Amino acid sequence: MLPYFIFATGIENSYPTIDGGRTRVDEMEKCGHYDQWERDFECVQELGIQFLRYGPPIHRTWLGPGEYDWGFADATFHDLRERDIVAIVDLCHFGVPDWLGNFQNPDFPRLFPDYAAAFAQRYPWVQLYTPVNEMFICATFSAAYGWWNEQESNDRAFVNALKNIVKANVLAMRAILEVRPDALFIQSESSEYFHAANPAAIGPAEILNQRRFLSLDLNYGRRLESEMYEFLLDNGMTREEYHFFLSNNLRHHCVMGNDYYWTNEHRVNPDGTTQASGEVFGYDEITRQYYDRYRLPVMHTETNLNQGPKGDEAVYWLWKQWANVLRLRNDGIPIVGFTWYSLTDQVDWDSALREMNGNVNPLGLYDLDRNIRPVGEACRQLISDWKDVLPTQSVSLRLPVVPPSEHDAEWARRNREEARIRARFKNLSP
């Protein structure tokens, strides 16, 4: 039986391109996962964790329309099934295969659902998905900041990337539901807030605080405020494209995943430029703003902090984030999970993956030699302390998750058939 609350970690699988698309940044390769994936899964189990944010490298797996190399995915996902680890499958994490180019390509939302459906058909025991990770951040870093993939820096490129990314996510959800009608989708999206540095910056800050919601507004089919609607249409979105999002609302299959880092809050200058402000409101206050907007179950899907010179900074940040999660649950917000991201240290995130320096960032529960860090020990203890207490001590919402080991059980088959009937009734499947 799975626990009521989802304690999770993730294996970093970012793979954007830089240098005008000439260089692929592959975090799985940098962090040694291709060689040490079995040890990585052992580490997950050592922590007492049953849920893993994980996905195959899209650039090595999706070779062309209808062409796939499932070799690595077969090995890893069959092993996860044997261990009864529930994968939250991350199908697209900041990059696309070389043959698709980048997120300006309208073929991405047209073809990505086929990849999602092919994955779901091959691994039918997988139920939880994040089709496209951090849609807002992906569009921003690729087409507003000019850091990754298309490396553009203008509003029109940003809007084009955003609509392609969110449309791909929506159509992938629909394609997966046709295969697995009881699938659940955990949107891992950055939760942001923009603070005005002075009165002259109030206007720019208000615009940015509307813009931060765009990816989820479109994904959940929420009608936009007039200023953001005009912004999208002024920069290339058509009325027909906007109405596609309004009419393809799959929110009843969704959990709103919120990521929170020290860099998620910003000071805004009068000219609209920003700097990281550090933690001002914190995870609980900002998540409350997102929850009030969408009214969906919530999961804390990413956080981390550098271990620091004293060696205990990450441990304190873990405790602080957990305290924020408990505050939300005790206030009645249905928060269903918590994630430290990632399992191991990362490489070159100090430059946001823009430079290939080989800098190891001590952000993981384990180091790159797969030795547990103090925050890993603290996380293991936190899970041990709280896993049996939460259902009786606070608001408890239990997601209907089927573990891999029970995929073929009679009750699980019955649940899928009931979901399929409901989907037909709602025109979600042929």
Side-chain angles (χ1 to χ4, degrees):
M1 179 66 70
L2 290 172
Y4 279 86
F5 193 81
I6 297 174
F7 287 104
T9 187
I11 291 175
E12 170 69 26
N13 68 328
S14 296
Y15 33 69
T17 58
I18 57 175
D19 298 332
R22 292 182 295 273
T23 302
R24 173 79 60 180
V25 182
D26 186 336
E27 279 291 286
M28 280 188 165
E29 183 173 43
K30 285 188 172 189
C31 298
H33 178 69
Y34 294 134
D35 296 323
Q36 301 191 64
W37 59 267
E38 289 176 287
R39 172 58 185 147
D40 286 344
F41 296 163
E42 288 174 0
C43 292
V44 173
Q45 292 180 305
E46 288 173 4
L47 294 165
I49 289 176
Q50 291 180 265
F51 293 83
L52 180 68
R53 290 197 58 212
Y54 186 71
I58 196 172
H59 58 293
R60 295 185 176 208
T61 307
W62 190 17
L63 306 183
E67 298 180 34
Y68 312 106
D69 179 352
W70 298 114
F72 184 70
D74 280 350
T76 53
F77 277 90
H78 285 295
D79 191 72
L80 287 173
R81 187 183 190 189
E82 288 296 312
R83 297 175 189 270
D84 210 21
I85 293 173
V86 179
I88 304 170
V89 178
D90 187 339
L91 290 175
C92 179
H93 200 121
F94 296 150
V96 295
D98 290 340
W99 60 271
L100 270 174
N102 55 54
F103 293 106
Q104 298 299 305
N105 188 347
D107 287 339
F108 172 58
R110 181 174 65 86
L111 297 174
F112 182 66
D114 295 337
Y115 173 59
F119 181 94
Q121 289 164 354
R122 192 168 187 89
Y123 310 106
W125 61 87
V126 173
Q127 183 187 13
L128 305 184
Y129 288 88
T130 303
V132 183
N133 174 74
E134 285 195 343
M135 296 177 284
F136 179 78
I137 293 299
C138 187
T140 299
F141 285 15
S142 298
Y145 292 174
W147 290 355
W148 298 339
N149 302 307
E150 52 263 49
Q151 293 187 252
E152 296 205 36
S153 309
N154 60 79
D155 288 343
R156 183 163 287 268
F158 169 76
V159 170
N160 196 44
L162 185 72
K163 71 182 183 183
N164 286 340
I165 289 167
V166 182
K167 185 176 182 180
N169 191 74
V170 170
L171 291 176
M173 289 194 291
R174 187 173 291 281
I176 291 166
L177 285 169
E178 291 178 357
V179 179
R180 179 78 194 246
D182 64 337
L184 297 172
F185 304 102
I186 300 176
Q187 273 78 49
S188 176
E189 186 57 281
S190 181
S191 52
E192 309 274 329
Y193 192 83
F194 296 86
H195 304 273
N198 55 49
I202 291 174
E206 288 179 346
I207 293 295
L208 291 170
N209 278 322
Q210 292 179 49
R211 185 163 158 166
R212 64 181 167 145
F213 293 123
L214 278 176
S215 62
L216 293 180
D217 281 352
L218 295 175
N219 189 69
Y220 296 140
R222 185 184 188 278
R223 293 187 179 274
L224 300 176
E225 289 84 358
S226 60
E227 198 154 23
M228 286 297 101
Y229 177 73
E230 292 175 359
F231 168 72
L232 293 179
L233 265 62
D234 287 346
N235 288 285
M237 181 178 282
T238 66
R239 289 170 59 93
E240 291 74 20
E241 287 171 329
Y242 173 61
H243 282 278
F244 163 84
F245 294 108
L246 295 183
S247 62
N248 280 272
N249 182 353
L250 300 173
R251 55 178 285 131
H252 50 287
H253 289 276
C254 293
V255 172
M256 182 183 65
N258 293 86
D259 304 346
Y260 183 80
Y261 295 96
W262 185 87
T263 53
N264 282 37
E265 298 186 55
H266 316 265
R267 284 172 57 93
V268 183
N269 302 313
D271 64 358
T273 58
T274 64
Q275 301 88 35
S277 67
E279 184 184 31
V280 179
F281 287 169
Y283 176 77
D284 61 339
E285 170 58 28
I286 295 176
T287 297
R288 198 182 307 274
Q289 295 172 13
Y290 281 76
Y291 176 74
D292 287 345
R293 191 176 186 90
Y294 302 114
R295 294 288 168 169
L296 286 170
V298 177
M299 180 171 171
H300 193 328
T301 38
E302 284 187 24
T303 196
N304 66 40
L305 192 71
N306 194 302
Q307 180 166 294
K310 294 189 293 184
D312 62 355
E313 288 90 334
V315 173
Y316 181 69
W317 183 258
L318 172 74
W319 173 83
K320 198 175 200 180
Q321 292 301 297
W322 181 243
N324 277 246
V325 167
L326 291 179
R327 177 73 272 154
L328 291 170
R329 284 174 65 86
N330 292 337
D331 284 348
I333 291 177
I335 187 163
V336 301
F338 173 67
T339 313
W340 185 274
Y341 198 87
S342 55
L343 176 71
T344 68
D345 291 348
Q346 300 168 13
V347 179
D348 288 333
W349 263 108
D350 53 317
S351 64
L353 305 183
R354 289 173 290 169
E355 300 174 4
M356 300 284 279
N357 299 320
N359 290 340
V360 176
N361 311 135
L363 303 166
L365 300 171
Y366 287 77
D367 64 25
L368 292 185
D369 292 323
R370 278 52 183 180
N371 298 312
I372 196 165
R373 287 194 176 278
V375 69
E377 298 280 8
C379 185
R380 180 164 59 191
Q381 188 62 51
L382 185 153
I383 293 169
S384 176
D385 289 345
W386 286 94
K387 63 182 175 65
D388 297 323
V389 174
L390 287 171
T392 60
Q393 293 299 316
S394 58
V395 173
S396 180
L397 171 67
R398 187 172 191 177
L399 294 180
V401 177
V402 180
S405 61
E406 297 185 48
H407 174 262
D408 295 322
E410 176 60 31
W411 69 269
R413 290 200 299 268
R414 185 170 58 251
N415 285 354
R416 289 195 294 275
E417 183 56 31
E418 290 173 357
R420 196 177 305 279
I421 293 170
R422 290 194 300 272
R424 289 198 189 101
F425 180 75
K426 295 175 182 177
N427 293 320
L428 291 176
S429 64

